[in-house]
Amino acid sequence: MQAELKKIKEIGIYLNMDKPDSPALAEKCIAYLLRNGFKTALLEGQMNYPDEGVIYYPKSLFYRKPDCILVLGGDGTLLFVARKVCFYSIPIFGINLGKLGFLTEGEAGNYEEALKNLSSGQYYIEERMMLSCSIKKENESACFYVALNDVLVKSRGFRMMDIEAKANGSTIDKFRADGLIIATPTGSTGYSLAAGGPVVSPQASVMILNPICPHRLHDRSYILPEDEVIRLQFGEREKDIMVTFDGQTTVSITPKDSIKIKKATYCTRLIRLNQMSSYDRLRIKLTSEY
């Protein structure tokens, strides 16, 4: 889905500090943006740039103040930033310093061309569905999490699990598997695809329920409509259950805890520079060497 454009005046730059090339690329991007009259913001503590035109924001402001955020890293970096900025509808633009780069739009070697298109307004915004997950533990208030790719439920060890999945009160199935993936269309090309799940167009608004290495031969993925509310229940003997969001944030739960997953009211807004279809992008990325 394409969204209405807002004129960009201030651009934040987020660096994956584990990528050795990111500071040098950030310096080039900052120099280009300042030359072209854009305010440029950095997250405090990531790097310093010797120019008075650079603004330094604490975490409480960095993810909400700029008109957009330039992410220097791979898909994992973009997923992290997406979960931070979605609450404020800030669009994000990724320059790939990783491997595949399904979500990132630009490449480090072509950063100047990408910034030229961005600064001249030659782009559009693509909205991606996200998931909202509520976890309610005994005698505690519910905690809420969001994910752009997927919510993964798995045992901390190597044991199979008994998981019952319900949607709007009706039992979908009772799985005995290594775990369960609940993915968005964006996440359909991630862990879910590796676990045998279907590829879903990112323009769709559905949820994928995909068991990991299920014990029964007939177990397959389920495609659920966007308005379903998924509730998970576990066997009483289960322990060391982990719930992971986009493979990055992990919460430990017990069989007595309540977990509910549904479509989030927030979305990720990706800045796109070209009209390459999601099918072309997928075909190119999955047939490349990495």
Side-chain angles (χ1 to χ4, degrees):
M1 181 187 302
Q2 294 188 21
E4 182 179 345
L5 296 182
K6 172 186 175 183
K7 185 172 178 58
I8 293 176
K9 298 179 180 178
E10 181 179 316
I11 297 177
I13 298 179
Y14 181 90
L15 293 73
N16 182 339
M17 299 305 292
D18 292 330
K19 304 287 186 184
D21 296 336
S22 63
L25 180 58
E27 290 184 359
K28 295 176 182 177
C29 291
I30 293 170
Y32 181 93
L33 293 172
L34 292 178
R35 284 198 310 270
N36 286 273
F38 287 89
K39 294 180 181 178
T40 307
L42 291 170
L43 178 62
E44 282 184 351
Q46 284 210 314
M47 68 174 286
N48 291 313
Y49 187 85
D51 192 293
E52 294 181 356
V54 177
I55 307 165
Y56 296 91
Y57 286 129
K59 291 180 180 179
S60 59
L61 295 177
F62 179 78
Y63 299 111
R64 68 171 75 186
K65 288 289 288 182
D67 296 318
C68 76
I69 292 182
L70 182 64
V71 179
L72 307 183
D75 282 349
T77 314
L78 192 143
L79 287 169
F80 173 82
V81 175
R83 295 197 305 278
K84 298 290 186 180
V85 304
C86 66
F87 306 108
Y88 313 109
S89 297
I90 304 297
I92 49 182
F93 177 78
I95 293 185
N96 186 31
L97 290 173
K99 293 181 179 178
L100 278 180
F102 273 114
L103 298 174
T104 52
E105 180 73 0
E107 296 293 333
N110 298 322
Y111 83 93
E112 193 163 340
E113 180 181 354
L115 292 181
K116 180 181 179 181
N117 289 334
L118 181 63
S119 61
S120 62
Q122 301 300 309
Y123 65 91
Y124 65 96
I125 293 178
E126 186 178 81
E127 294 187 342
R128 295 289 185 92
M129 169 187 164
M130 301 183 76
L131 296 175
S132 171
C133 179
S134 165
I135 295 178
K136 176 71 170 66
K137 298 188 176 185
E138 284 188 307
N139 303 318
E140 294 183 16
S141 299
C143 295
F144 296 88
Y145 305 86
V146 292
L148 172 56
N149 258 7
D150 50 44
V151 178
L152 166 67
V153 180
K154 198 175 184 298
S155 171
R156 193 175 294 275
F158 295 96
R159 299 174 60 253
M160 298 188 81
M161 302 177 65
D162 291 318
I163 308 172
E164 181 177 0
K166 296 184 175 182
N168 292 353
S170 299
T171 297
I172 301 172
D173 208 341
K174 296 179 180 179
F175 301 100
R176 182 157 181 77
D178 284 358
L180 192 64
I181 303 167
I182 298 92
T184 64
T186 297
S188 72
T189 54
Y191 191 7
S192 181
L193 180 63
V199 174
V200 179
S201 167
Q203 280 69 52
S205 192
V206 297
M207 295 179 287
I208 305 156
L209 191 70
N210 191 12
I212 305 169
C213 298
H215 190 255
R216 297 178 304 189
L217 293 176
H218 73 269
D219 278 336
R220 292 292 184 268
S221 303
Y222 288 81
I223 305 295
L224 305 180
E226 62 176 10
D227 58 349
E228 297 276 48
V229 177
I230 301 170
R231 298 178 188 271
L232 303 181
Q233 295 179 342
F234 308 94
E236 293 183 357
R237 294 181 298 175
E238 300 299 341
K239 58 182 179 179
D240 297 328
I241 304 170
M242 301 184 304
V243 185
T244 302
F245 307 95
D246 289 338
Q248 297 177 340
T249 300
T250 299
V251 177
S252 297
I253 64 171
T254 72
K256 295 182 179 180
D257 298 334
S258 168
I259 175 169
K260 180 172 66 176
I261 301 162
K262 62 181 182 179
K263 177 184 176 182
T265 57
Y266 310 99
C267 68
T268 292
R269 308 179 78 224
L270 297 177
I271 293 176
R272 295 303 196 196
L273 301 181
N274 57 60
Q275 297 292 336
M276 179 187 293
S277 74
S278 58
Y279 309 114
D280 289 338
R281 188 185 301 272
L282 177 67
R283 189 175 61 255
I284 291 169
K285 294 293 184 179
L286 288 186
T287 55
S288 64
E289 295 288 339
Y290 67 94

